[in-house]
Amino acid sequence: MNWIALKMLMGNRGKYFGMIAGIAFASLLIAQQASIFCGLMLQTSGQVRDIGGAEIWVMDPNVRFVDDVKPLSDTDLYRVRGVRGVDWAVKFYKGLARSRLEDGNFQQTILLGLDDATLVGAPPNIILGTLADLRKPNAVIMDLEGYQLLWPGQEPHIGKRFEMNDREAEIVGICRASRTFQTFPVVYTRYSQALQFVPPERKVMSFVLANGQPGTNPQALCRQIEQQTGLRAVTQNEFAWITMWYFMGATGIPVNFGITVALGFVVGTAIAAQTFYLFTLENIKQYGALKAMGAGNLSLMGMVMLQAAVVSLIGYGLGVGAAAWFGQMSQNSGSKLAFYMPSVVLVGTGLAVCLISVLASLLSLRRVLALEPAVVFQS
Amino acid sequence: MSKVEQQALVSCRGLVKNYGTGNAMVQALRGVDLDVYGGELTMLVGPSGCGKTTLLSILAAILHPTAGEVWALGSNLTALSTAKRTAFRRTNVGFVFQQFNLLPTLTAAENVTVPLVLAGWSKRAALDEAFKLLDRMGMRERGDHLPGQLSGGQQQRVAIARALVHHPRVLVCDEPTSALDHKTGTAILQLLRSIAVEGDRAVMIVTHDSRIFEFADTIASMDDGQIMKVERDRTAFVALSPPADAVPASASSQP
């Protein structure tokens, strides 16, 4: 019966393409909006993920996300180092600095101060200059997008100078960094240098970055650090998620995107269900004839569900493909659109399409199952 | 063999069928007795709303009667569950509908395969069988055409092939000539008659078209849910023409 169901479906091209279009539209909207949402959330935690080399972040217990810096005292570093199982621990500065450009303009920048000795937390992808140059006086490494924001239209080059807190900073390297949620330029420098680029405060250390001894369970070590120091210790991945959850909870972003996703779901369901129901109504006499000729309800259910599954699968493929193409195109064109399509978006969109398919076929199934075969004798 | 000695392929006794309940109840059949024999063409005639189609539906195991018994091919249809009645129809009953009811997106041959596919045949084997049957009916070259590309007579032939492909003993036809011109309708009736005789099948036809009465072996005249007369004398069939108001204007004029 399957080939009969498929020929019935594909023979009615108007309805067939209408149903596919409905589901493709829903898939596109759901996948695209969910991917933009994921992209935005990824941006919120980009700075955490960009800090390489350290698997544990130690911070004030009241820190809620990566930008919510509550400074620690220098003695906290030694307390962390004193915890059994900690291999090493270093200082890390994170704050906002006000940069003054040569034309007198000001621009907020994200200033990251790396441990002077080890440079733990250095940018992962330096495209101009070397990390070692960071040891020079007043040296900073800036991210490419930040550079293009400060000096639009100029080719990035080493030696560019600007001021922070009336101190001259010289760019010795350009790196690629994850786009930040605030869109500010990211400036890497040594910890001691960073303290000169910001006004003096009594406590300045933002985080302690640490690693466990080989074979140590990072989560267990975090609990150990917390017990012993009273500070908060989390793994890098946990901190990224803590940051993302903060933005999800504290901003209206999930609600806004959720509304669009829900709209896509509802509109897609409405289009697909209505078209599929009309398609079934159009064929109701044929279903009646099949029933009269001895087709059981199970066979007819199978036919309807196969038809729904086929249009759903094709619509899903087209919709998700279009969303991925859209994301790829926007990234290729240098757009600043936040777009990240993890497998969970594909699975989630697939589940939504399954639900649409079930809802769309339910109306039709109800009609077909309740159909009396004697309907074929009604002219 | 006389009709008294011959075993009826389909018979019903005391058949009652009510639709609705209470004040809205309509009695479509009021105690119908009928025997339909193999090798014969039996026509159910009568004015609109007299219960012909209801009787045909019950005899074809589509509807369940309110009271009475139906026996077909040795099975008591009234005692069968819905699923078993469905299986009975699948195996033993062929259907020819007024509007053909061919699946419009399937070719003629594919339409013919439907009863075989329902019986579990593979598509390839069913298509081979369908083309053989279409060949015998002079329709082989039309096998790959869609119903929309066929004339009314050709569509009805395809529908008859579909009704016969699984070799049922009972064939039920609902107004098989009403959508056809007289010449084509006559050809279709000749075909149905040969099907009845050659295959020892019971062919039941509901019709308003008095011009095809000449092809019948038995005519059961119905009125108000009852069989008024069962006529087997061909010379008397001419007198059985239904009232003029019962014959739809389109009955003999549609292309």
Side-chain angles (χ1 to χ4, degrees):
Chain A
M1 295 297 285
N2 291 349
W3 65 269
I4 293 178
L6 293 179
K7 286 205 101 176
M8 281 173 78
L9 173 71
M10 292 168 190
N12 189 338
R13 288 176 185 247
K15 297 277 189 303
Y16 177 53
F17 290 131
M19 283 184 278
I20 288 177
I23 292 189
F25 171 75
S27 300
L28 169 66
L29 212 55
I30 293 170
Q32 187 206 50
Q33 292 299 306
S35 297
I36 293 174
F37 173 72
C38 288
L40 277 176
M41 287 302 107
L42 209 61
Q43 283 187 2
T44 64
S45 62
Q47 288 176 64
V48 179
R49 296 183 198 279
D50 277 355
I51 300 301
E55 59 188 15
I56 293 172
W57 288 60
V58 184
M59 63 202 80
D60 184 276
N62 296 316
V63 168
R64 293 167 299 169
F65 61 106
V66 69
D67 299 317
D68 183 31
V69 176
K70 295 184 169 58
L72 305 168
S73 61
D74 285 352
T75 54
D76 288 330
L77 172 65
Y78 306 117
R79 292 167 63 209
V80 173
R81 283 177 175 166
V83 175
R84 183 188 295 270
V86 171
D87 195 17
W88 53 258
V90 295
K91 297 172 181 176
F92 184 68
Y93 176 84
K94 182 183 181 305
L96 287 176
R98 196 169 58 171
S99 305
R100 184 169 179 270
L101 309 181
E102 63 252 273
D103 62 2
N105 275 336
F106 289 93
Q107 170 67 50
Q108 288 278 7
T109 52
I110 297 169
L111 184 63
L112 303 177
L114 314 178
D115 175 57
D116 288 56
T118 61
L119 297 181
V120 165
N125 187 3
I126 297 174
I127 56 174
L128 214 56
T130 61
L131 182 60
D133 291 340
L134 209 54
R135 298 190 189 281
K136 292 178 181 172
N138 303 327
V140 298
I141 293 177
M142 184 177 281
D143 75 307
L144 180 62
E145 286 195 20
Y147 188 97
Q148 290 167 339
L149 181 73
L150 295 182
W151 296 284
Q154 293 185 26
E155 278 297 308
H157 69 92
I158 290 170
K160 199 89 178 167
R161 292 167 193 272
F162 62 101
E163 285 181 10
M164 285 184 284
N165 193 30
D166 295 333
R167 289 249 170 201
E168 189 176 68
E170 181 183 348
I171 294 176
V172 298
I174 303 290
C175 68
R176 287 192 194 281
S178 298
R179 196 175 292 142
T180 62
F181 195 62
Q182 300 96 328
T183 71
F184 296 154
V186 181
V187 174
Y188 292 84
T189 187
R190 284 172 288 112
Y191 185 87
S192 58
Q193 185 72 64
L195 300 189
Q196 294 172 31
F197 288 145
V198 291
E201 289 182 79
R202 192 170 65 84
K203 294 199 291 186
V204 288
M205 187 170 67
S206 310
F207 299 97
V208 174
L209 302 179
N211 244 20
Q213 288 168 348
T216 311
N217 179 292
Q219 273 92 8
L221 185 56
C222 287
R223 303 296 84 76
Q224 184 74 18
I225 292 170
E226 285 183 342
Q227 277 179 7
Q228 221 168 303
T229 64
L231 300 171
R232 186 179 193 189
V234 291
T235 63
Q236 184 180 41
N237 189 48
E238 284 171 344
F239 195 36
W241 275 104
I242 287 167
T243 299
M244 286 192 286
W245 280 116
Y246 171 80
F247 278 96
M248 283 190 241
T251 68
I253 295 172
V255 177
N256 292 334
F257 280 90
I259 287 171
T260 314
V261 167
L263 202 63
F265 180 82
V266 170
V267 172
T269 305
I271 295 174
Q274 185 184 335
T275 318
F276 196 49
Y277 186 62
L278 288 176
F279 167 76
T280 304
L281 280 188
E282 229 171 64
N283 287 297
I284 204 74
K285 278 240 168 187
Q286 324 302 341
Y287 283 118
L290 289 173
K291 264 195 168 180
M293 287 188 279
N297 275 343
L298 273 179
S299 296
L300 296 179
M301 268 176 74
M303 287 177 75
V304 171
M305 290 175 79
L306 176 68
Q307 290 165 344
V310 166
V311 291
S312 299
L313 203 62
I314 296 172
Y316 169 74
L318 289 175
V320 167
W325 178 81
F326 167 82
Q328 192 63 48
M329 285 298 107
S330 64
Q331 282 175 359
N332 289 351
S333 67
S335 155
K336 296 193 185 304
L337 179 78
F339 191 94
Y340 174 61
M341 187 186 271
S343 57
V344 70
V345 167
L346 298 178
V347 173
T349 308
L351 289 175
V353 168
C354 281
L355 193 57
I356 289 174
S357 168
V358 168
L359 292 174
S361 55
L362 272 181
L363 279 176
S364 298
L365 273 176
R366 188 170 162 268
R367 187 68 195 240
V368 168
L369 294 181
L371 180 68
E372 280 291 334
V375 73
V376 289
F377 290 137
Q378 293 164 9
S379 53
Chain B
M1 193 158 47
S2 72
K3 291 301 163 201
V4 177
E5 293 166 323
Q6 191 183 346
Q7 187 79 26
L9 281 190
V10 182
S11 63
C12 62
R13 294 288 177 269
L15 220 51
V16 173
K17 179 65 181 177
N18 298 333
Y19 293 111
T21 53
N23 291 337
M25 192 180 77
V26 175
Q27 204 165 17
L29 296 179
R30 303 161 184 266
V32 171
D33 300 337
L34 183 66
D35 291 315
V36 182
Y37 295 94
E40 280 195 5
L41 209 146
T42 301
M43 291 190 185
L44 302 174
V45 303
S48 296
C50 70
K52 304 185 296 292
T53 301
T54 299
L55 177 59
L56 190 73
S57 300
I58 292 173
L59 296 179
I62 284 180
L63 276 183
H64 196 71
T66 308
E69 280 195 346
V70 182
W71 287 80
L73 307 171
S75 297
N76 181 359
L77 296 186
T78 39
L80 295 181
S81 64
T82 304
K84 284 188 174 169
R85 275 192 290 131
T86 301
F88 179 86
R89 289 199 305 272
R90 190 159 55 226
T91 312
N92 299 305
V93 186
F95 292 88
V96 179
F97 306 108
Q98 183 177 2
Q99 298 299 331
F100 321 131
N101 281 22
L102 298 173
L103 295 169
T105 53
L106 267 55
T107 64
E110 286 169 343
N111 266 288
V112 175
T113 64
V114 169
L116 298 178
V117 173
L118 286 173
W121 286 44
S122 70
K123 183 183 178 186
R124 182 177 291 273
L127 270 175
D128 286 345
E129 192 71 13
F131 270 109
K132 279 183 202 164
L133 186 55
L134 285 173
D135 195 24
R136 285 207 296 276
M137 297 177 76
M139 289 282 294
R140 186 181 179 89
E141 73 283 1
R142 295 288 185 180
D144 290 324
H145 287 64
L146 293 172
Q149 298 167 320
L150 302 176
S151 68
Q154 287 171 332
Q155 288 188 54
Q156 195 60 299
R157 280 175 183 274
V158 173
I160 291 170
R162 181 178 66 180
L164 288 175
V165 73
H166 56 307
H167 308 294
R169 292 293 307 281
V170 178
L171 204 65
V172 295
C173 310
D174 180 39
E175 303 274 9
T177 58
S178 71
L180 306 174
D181 60 67
H182 182 60
K183 188 180 167 193
T184 312
T186 301
I188 292 294
L189 258 294
Q190 281 168 343
L191 177 63
L192 288 173
R193 183 160 176 73
S194 67
I195 286 165
V197 174
E198 289 166 16
D200 192 32
R201 295 185 175 93
V203 177
M204 292 179 270
I205 298 178
V206 161
T207 186
H208 280 107
D209 189 353
S210 58
R211 292 172 303 176
I212 66 170
F213 288 178
E214 60 180 295
F215 294 95
D217 295 294
T218 304
I219 292 183
S221 303
M222 293 187 69
D223 196 10
D224 198 22
Q226 292 175 306
I227 290 187
M228 311 307 290
K229 188 176 184 183
V230 176
E231 187 61 71
R232 298 184 191 283
D233 179 4
R234 283 172 172 268
T235 57
F237 288 173
V238 180
L240 288 172
S241 297
D245 65 342
V247 181
S250 61
S252 60
S253 61
Q254 279 190 5

mmCIF file with all atom_site columns, all heavy atoms in Angstrom, chain A residues 53-64:
data_model
loop_
_atom_site.group_PDB
_atom_site.id
_atom_site.type_symbol
_atom_site.label_atom_id
_atom_site.label_alt_id
_atom_site.label_comp_id
_atom_site.label_asym_id
_atom_site.label_entity_id
_atom_site.label_seq_id
_atom_site.pdbx_PDB_ins_code
_atom_site.Cartn_x
_atom_site.Cartn_y
_atom_site.Cartn_z
_atom_site.occupancy
_atom_site.B_iso_or_equiv
_atom_site.pdbx_formal_charge
_atom_site.auth_seq_id
_atom_site.auth_comp_id
_atom_site.auth_asym_id
_atom_site.auth_atom_id
_atom_site.pdbx_PDB_model_num
ATOM 1  N N   . GLY A 1 53 ? 44.214 26.686 28.466 1.00 0.00 ? 53 GLY A N   1
ATOM 2  C CA  . GLY A 1 53 ? 45.265 26.226 29.375 1.00 0.00 ? 53 GLY A CA  1
ATOM 3  C C   . GLY A 1 53 ? 44.839 25.973 30.796 1.00 0.00 ? 53 GLY A C   1
ATOM 4  O O   . GLY A 1 53 ? 45.496 25.224 31.514 1.00 0.00 ? 53 GLY A O   1
ATOM 5  N N   . ALA A 1 54 ? 43.737 26.584 31.220 1.00 0.00 ? 54 ALA A N   1
ATOM 6  C CA  . ALA A 1 54 ? 43.306 26.392 32.611 1.00 0.00 ? 54 ALA A CA  1
ATOM 7  C C   . ALA A 1 54 ? 41.941 25.728 32.617 1.00 0.00 ? 54 ALA A C   1
ATOM 8  O O   . ALA A 1 54 ? 41.039 26.166 31.927 1.00 0.00 ? 54 ALA A O   1
ATOM 9  C CB  . ALA A 1 54 ? 43.234 27.730 33.329 1.00 0.00 ? 54 ALA A CB  1
ATOM 10 N N   . GLU A 1 55 ? 41.837 24.681 33.411 1.00 0.00 ? 55 GLU A N   1
ATOM 11 C CA  . GLU A 1 55 ? 40.545 23.989 33.420 1.00 0.00 ? 55 GLU A CA  1
ATOM 12 C C   . GLU A 1 55 ? 39.652 24.417 34.586 1.00 0.00 ? 55 GLU A C   1
ATOM 13 O O   . GLU A 1 55 ? 38.470 24.109 34.593 1.00 0.00 ? 55 GLU A O   1
ATOM 14 C CB  . GLU A 1 55 ? 40.740 22.470 33.429 1.00 0.00 ? 55 GLU A CB  1
ATOM 15 C CG  . GLU A 1 55 ? 41.521 21.936 34.605 1.00 0.00 ? 55 GLU A CG  1
ATOM 16 C CD  . GLU A 1 55 ? 41.846 20.461 34.437 1.00 0.00 ? 55 GLU A CD  1
ATOM 17 O OE1 . GLU A 1 55 ? 41.714 19.952 33.316 1.00 0.00 ? 55 GLU A OE1 1
ATOM 18 O OE2 . GLU A 1 55 ? 42.247 19.838 35.437 1.00 0.00 ? 55 GLU A OE2 1
ATOM 19 N N   . ILE A 1 56 ? 40.220 25.154 35.537 1.00 0.00 ? 56 ILE A N   1
ATOM 20 C CA  . ILE A 1 56 ? 39.407 25.560 36.696 1.00 0.00 ? 56 ILE A CA  1
ATOM 21 C C   . ILE A 1 56 ? 39.459 27.085 36.875 1.00 0.00 ? 56 ILE A C   1
ATOM 22 O O   . ILE A 1 56 ? 40.520 27.693 36.768 1.00 0.00 ? 56 ILE A O   1
ATOM 23 C CB  . ILE A 1 56 ? 39.911 24.855 37.978 1.00 0.00 ? 56 ILE A CB  1
ATOM 24 C CG1 . ILE A 1 56 ? 39.640 23.352 37.863 1.00 0.00 ? 56 ILE A CG1 1
ATOM 25 C CG2 . ILE A 1 56 ? 39.229 25.426 39.224 1.00 0.00 ? 56 ILE A CG2 1
ATOM 26 C CD1 . ILE A 1 56 ? 40.257 22.539 38.979 1.00 0.00 ? 56 ILE A CD1 1
ATOM 27 N N   . TRP A 1 57 ? 38.280 27.643 37.108 1.00 0.00 ? 57 TRP A N   1
ATOM 28 C CA  . TRP A 1 57 ? 38.160 29.076 37.392 1.00 0.00 ? 57 TRP A CA  1
ATOM 29 C C   . TRP A 1 57 ? 37.726 29.217 38.858 1.00 0.00 ? 57 TRP A C   1
ATOM 30 O O   . TRP A 1 57 ? 36.737 28.631 39.272 1.00 0.00 ? 57 TRP A O   1
ATOM 31 C CB  . TRP A 1 57 ? 37.107 29.733 36.503 1.00 0.00 ? 57 TRP A CB  1
ATOM 32 C CG  . TRP A 1 57 ? 37.487 29.885 35.052 1.00 0.00 ? 57 TRP A CG  1
ATOM 33 C CD1 . TRP A 1 57 ? 37.801 28.895 34.184 1.00 0.00 ? 57 TRP A CD1 1
ATOM 34 C CD2 . TRP A 1 57 ? 37.576 31.110 34.327 1.00 0.00 ? 57 TRP A CD2 1
ATOM 35 N NE1 . TRP A 1 57 ? 38.085 29.403 32.953 1.00 0.00 ? 57 TRP A NE1 1
ATOM 36 C CE2 . TRP A 1 57 ? 37.945 30.786 32.999 1.00 0.00 ? 57 TRP A CE2 1
ATOM 37 C CE3 . TRP A 1 57 ? 37.388 32.460 34.654 1.00 0.00 ? 57 TRP A CE3 1
ATOM 38 C CZ2 . TRP A 1 57 ? 38.138 31.744 32.011 1.00 0.00 ? 57 TRP A CZ2 1
ATOM 39 C CZ3 . TRP A 1 57 ? 37.566 33.416 33.646 1.00 0.00 ? 57 TRP A CZ3 1
ATOM 40 C CH2 . TRP A 1 57 ? 37.953 33.058 32.337 1.00 0.00 ? 57 TRP A CH2 1
ATOM 41 N N   . VAL A 1 58 ? 38.493 30.037 39.588 1.00 0.00 ? 58 VAL A N   1
ATOM 42 C CA  . VAL A 1 58 ? 38.133 30.292 40.984 1.00 0.00 ? 58 VAL A CA  1
ATOM 43 C C   . VAL A 1 58 ? 37.744 31.766 41.107 1.00 0.00 ? 58 VAL A C   1
ATOM 44 O O   . VAL A 1 58 ? 38.416 32.636 40.542 1.00 0.00 ? 58 VAL A O   1
ATOM 45 C CB  . VAL A 1 58 ? 39.314 29.978 41.941 1.00 0.00 ? 58 VAL A CB  1
ATOM 46 C CG1 . VAL A 1 58 ? 38.886 30.149 43.400 1.00 0.00 ? 58 VAL A CG1 1
ATOM 47 C CG2 . VAL A 1 58 ? 39.836 28.570 41.699 1.00 0.00 ? 58 VAL A CG2 1
ATOM 48 N N   . MET A 1 59 ? 36.653 32.018 41.847 1.00 0.00 ? 59 MET A N   1
ATOM 49 C CA  . MET A 1 59 ? 36.123 33.401 41.888 1.00 0.00 ? 59 MET A CA  1
ATOM 50 C C   . MET A 1 59 ? 35.404 33.653 43.200 1.00 0.00 ? 59 MET A C   1
ATOM 51 O O   . MET A 1 59 ? 35.233 32.721 44.013 1.00 0.00 ? 59 MET A O   1
ATOM 52 C CB  . MET A 1 59 ? 35.157 33.585 40.714 1.00 0.00 ? 59 MET A CB  1
ATOM 53 C CG  . MET A 1 59 ? 33.949 32.681 40.791 1.00 0.00 ? 59 MET A CG  1
ATOM 54 S SD  . MET A 1 59 ? 33.173 32.417 39.198 1.00 0.00 ? 59 MET A SD  1
ATOM 55 C CE  . MET A 1 59 ? 34.224 31.169 38.473 1.00 0.00 ? 59 MET A CE  1
ATOM 56 N N   . ASP A 1 60 ? 34.993 34.883 43.375 1.00 0.00 ? 60 ASP A N   1
ATOM 57 C CA  . ASP A 1 60 ? 34.195 35.253 44.552 1.00 0.00 ? 60 ASP A CA  1
ATOM 58 C C   . ASP A 1 60 ? 32.880 34.458 44.521 1.00 0.00 ? 60 ASP A C   1
ATOM 59 O O   . ASP A 1 60 ? 32.301 34.262 43.445 1.00 0.00 ? 60 ASP A O   1
ATOM 60 C CB  . ASP A 1 60 ? 33.906 36.761 44.489 1.00 0.00 ? 60 ASP A CB  1
ATOM 61 C CG  . ASP A 1 60 ? 33.175 37.247 45.728 1.00 0.00 ? 60 ASP A CG  1
ATOM 62 O OD1 . ASP A 1 60 ? 31.922 37.111 45.756 1.00 0.00 ? 60 ASP A OD1 1
ATOM 63 O OD2 . ASP A 1 60 ? 33.847 37.741 46.649 1.00 0.00 ? 60 ASP A OD2 1
ATOM 64 N N   . PRO A 1 61 ? 32.395 34.020 45.668 1.00 0.00 ? 61 PRO A N   1
ATOM 65 C CA  . PRO A 1 61 ? 31.174 33.200 45.673 1.00 0.00 ? 61 PRO A CA  1
ATOM 66 C C   . PRO A 1 61 ? 29.958 33.905 45.076 1.00 0.00 ? 61 PRO A C   1
ATOM 67 O O   . PRO A 1 61 ? 28.995 33.250 44.685 1.00 0.00 ? 61 PRO A O   1
ATOM 68 C CB  . PRO A 1 61 ? 30.946 32.897 47.155 1.00 0.00 ? 61 PRO A CB  1
ATOM 69 C CG  . PRO A 1 61 ? 32.251 33.129 47.808 1.00 0.00 ? 61 PRO A CG  1
ATOM 70 C CD  . PRO A 1 61 ? 32.971 34.161 47.009 1.00 0.00 ? 61 PRO A CD  1
ATOM 71 N N   . ASN A 1 62 ? 29.978 35.221 44.996 1.00 0.00 ? 62 ASN A N   1
ATOM 72 C CA  . ASN A 1 62 ? 28.801 35.951 44.497 1.00 0.00 ? 62 ASN A CA  1
ATOM 73 C C   . ASN A 1 62 ? 28.839 36.255 43.003 1.00 0.00 ? 62 ASN A C   1
ATOM 74 O O   . ASN A 1 62 ? 27.946 36.921 42.481 1.00 0.00 ? 62 ASN A O   1
ATOM 75 C CB  . ASN A 1 62 ? 28.639 37.267 45.269 1.00 0.00 ? 62 ASN A CB  1
ATOM 76 C CG  . ASN A 1 62 ? 28.356 37.008 46.736 1.00 0.00 ? 62 ASN A CG  1
ATOM 77 O OD1 . ASN A 1 62 ? 27.546 36.136 47.069 1.00 0.00 ? 62 ASN A OD1 1
ATOM 78 N ND2 . ASN A 1 62 ? 29.059 37.709 47.610 1.00 0.00 ? 62 ASN A ND2 1
ATOM 79 N N   . VAL A 1 63 ? 29.882 35.797 42.325 1.00 0.00 ? 63 VAL A N   1
ATOM 80 C CA  . VAL A 1 63 ? 29.965 36.029 40.881 1.00 0.00 ? 63 VAL A CA  1
ATOM 81 C C   . VAL A 1 63 ? 28.861 35.243 40.193 1.00 0.00 ? 63 VAL A C   1
ATOM 82 O O   . VAL A 1 63 ? 28.668 34.056 40.453 1.00 0.00 ? 63 VAL A O   1
ATOM 83 C CB  . VAL A 1 63 ? 31.349 35.604 40.342 1.00 0.00 ? 63 VAL A CB  1
ATOM 84 C CG1 . VAL A 1 63 ? 31.342 35.566 38.816 1.00 0.00 ? 63 VAL A CG1 1
ATOM 85 C CG2 . VAL A 1 63 ? 32.423 36.560 40.840 1.00 0.00 ? 63 VAL A CG2 1
ATOM 86 N N   . ARG A 1 64 ? 28.115 35.927 39.274 1.00 0.00 ? 64 ARG A N   1
ATOM 87 C CA  . ARG A 1 64 ? 26.994 35.259 38.600 1.00 0.00 ? 64 ARG A CA  1
ATOM 88 C C   . ARG A 1 64 ? 27.304 34.920 37.143 1.00 0.00 ? 64 ARG A C   1
ATOM 89 O O   . ARG A 1 64 ? 26.694 34.050 36.564 1.00 0.00 ? 64 ARG A O   1
ATOM 90 C CB  . ARG A 1 64 ? 25.747 36.154 38.661 1.00 0.00 ? 64 ARG A CB  1
ATOM 91 C CG  . ARG A 1 64 ? 25.205 36.333 40.065 1.00 0.00 ? 64 ARG A CG  1
ATOM 92 C CD  . ARG A 1 64 ? 24.188 37.446 40.104 1.00 0.00 ? 64 ARG A CD  1
ATOM 93 N NE  . ARG A 1 64 ? 24.799 38.716 39.711 1.00 0.00 ? 64 ARG A NE  1
ATOM 94 C CZ  . ARG A 1 64 ? 24.102 39.816 39.451 1.00 0.00 ? 64 ARG A CZ  1
ATOM 95 N NH1 . ARG A 1 64 ? 22.793 39.804 39.525 1.00 0.00 ? 64 ARG A NH1 1
ATOM 96 N NH2 . ARG A 1 64 ? 24.709 40.933 39.120 1.00 0.00 ? 64 ARG A NH2 1
#
